Amino acid sequence: MPDTFYTASPHWGWYIVAYFFVGGIAGGCFFIASLLHLCGRPEDRPVVRLGYYVAFAGAVVSGVLLTLDLTKPLRFWHMLIASNTGVPLLKPWSPMSVGAWGLLLFGAHATLAAGGALAEDGRIRWRPLAGMVSGAPGMIVAALGSAFGFFLAGYTGVLLSVTSRPVWADSNLLGALFLCSAASTGAATLVLLTRRRHDAHPATIAWLSQFDRTALVLELIVLTLFVASLGTVGRVFLGWWGAVLLGGVVGAGAILPLVLESRRSHDQRTPVRAATLVLAGGLFLRMAVIFGSEQVRAVGSGVALP
């Protein structure tokens, strides 16, 4: 049994669950958009722009959620600026400081990419912004923003891993698990939105669905390895949150969407149903991981569940 069981819980609530969920979608959407931007075809451009829009909105919402979770939200800027000198403040040894800067840098690149997408859409007439989705500047923004998107998507799992709480500190796979989930929920979000906008090429939608299926399979593999790596602590998932993990994440959030997609039904509602289930599974995953740790406590040399 690990010696981390006597530490206090950070008592994270729904703001953090929502932050992890929305941040993952934002990072996943930017990565998919940048991949299509750098390697896709001209007919992929509507989805590229849509991905950048979602990434920008997700970065803004993530910042708001993270700020609201603080005891004193108005002092959020203290995580970025030294209050006594007014100079930028980065603490490489602090996961929270690194995370705040990572979110800020991702948001900056998402803003540039979204601005360029608006210019390409003809909604903003400003030539410098148009370069953010074309030529060398656009490629640089896509590549760097994708790296920061990867960071944002996987960092939330790494942040939990470096704490001293049960479940979180007992596996090194949380970052990889959240990264796979970000890829699947990002693709699912784009599938849902393209169905509403009706401007995406059928080949691009088919590619998104295939990307989502691949991400779901990887997520199932990593999730299995994650639970197996917990050892004795894995008993936490025999209770209520275990039912959420098995039924909500594995069953409804991964296996059922894979089954629906494999049938290749001509019903236009099938991709929408599958994508909705994937998003629900992504939310349930973060709920089970975050709240599941709360119900573990130490009794002597063993593990007990309340």
Side-chain angles (χ1 to χ4, degrees):
M1 172 184 153
D3 60 359
T4 58
F5 272 55
Y6 294 95
T7 60
S9 168
H11 301 295
W12 283 338
W14 287 104
Y15 283 136
I16 293 299
V17 172
Y19 163 59
F20 284 7
F21 180 60
V22 173
I25 291 176
C29 283
F30 196 103
F31 170 71
I32 294 170
S34 65
L35 188 61
L36 291 173
H37 182 170
L38 297 173
C39 307
R41 301 158 297 182
E43 54 265 33
D44 297 329
R45 298 304 300 179
V47 174
V48 172
R49 294 192 294 270
L50 180 61
Y52 287 152
Y53 294 150
V54 175
F56 169 73
V60 173
V61 173
S62 294
V64 172
L65 290 170
L66 190 59
T67 301
L68 290 175
D69 185 68
L70 297 175
T71 305
K72 297 179 179 180
L74 294 180
R75 295 188 179 183
F76 175 78
W77 62 274
H78 287 191
M79 300 180 67
L80 303 171
I81 305 295
S83 58
N84 57 335
T85 62
V87 300
L89 176 64
L90 173 62
K91 301 176 181 178
W93 62 89
S94 169
M96 291 299 292
S97 177
V98 173
W101 277 101
L103 176 58
L104 178 66
L105 292 173
F106 171 72
H109 286 81
T111 300
L112 290 174
L118 287 172
E120 186 177 80
D121 257 340
R123 300 181 183 181
I124 293 180
R125 298 186 180 280
W126 191 35
R127 184 170 297 178
L129 275 180
M132 293 298 103
V133 289
S134 62
M139 295 178 67
I140 293 173
V141 169
L144 291 178
S146 182
F148 286 117
F150 261 124
F151 171 83
L152 180 64
Y155 158 80
T156 52
V158 175
L159 173 63
L160 297 180
S161 298
V162 299
T163 65
S164 53
R165 284 294 300 163
V167 178
W168 304 345
D170 294 301
S171 176
N172 295 321
L173 294 174
L174 265 178
L177 179 59
F178 279 16
L179 193 59
C180 292
S181 178
S184 64
T185 54
T189 300
L190 292 178
V191 168
L192 285 176
L193 293 177
T194 53
R195 292 287 174 176
R196 294 180 62 88
R197 289 168 59 95
H198 305 291
D199 61 349
H201 194 276
T204 309
I205 297 177
W207 182 89
L208 280 175
S209 297
Q210 179 59 51
F211 181 94
D212 199 17
R213 290 193 293 272
T214 302
L216 283 175
V217 171
L218 290 175
E219 183 180 347
L220 282 173
I221 294 173
V222 176
L223 178 58
T224 301
L225 294 174
F226 165 70
V227 175
S229 69
L230 294 177
T232 306
V233 188
R235 289 178 54 193
V236 67
F237 290 130
L238 296 178
W240 162 247
W241 291 113
V244 172
L245 193 74
L246 182 61
V249 180
V250 176
I255 294 178
L256 186 53
L258 287 172
V259 171
L260 289 174
E261 289 288 349
S262 67
R263 292 178 176 177
R264 300 186 182 279
S265 171
H266 294 292
D267 188 346
Q268 296 297 315
R269 293 172 296 181
T270 297
V272 173
R273 290 168 178 165
T276 303
L277 288 170
V278 171
L279 286 174
L283 179 60
F284 288 145
L285 172 64
R286 286 151 179 83
M287 290 168 55
V289 169
I290 293 176
F291 295 143
S293 178
E294 299 280 346
Q295 66 179 5
V296 184
R297 58 190 175 88
V299 176
S301 60
V303 177
L305 303 178

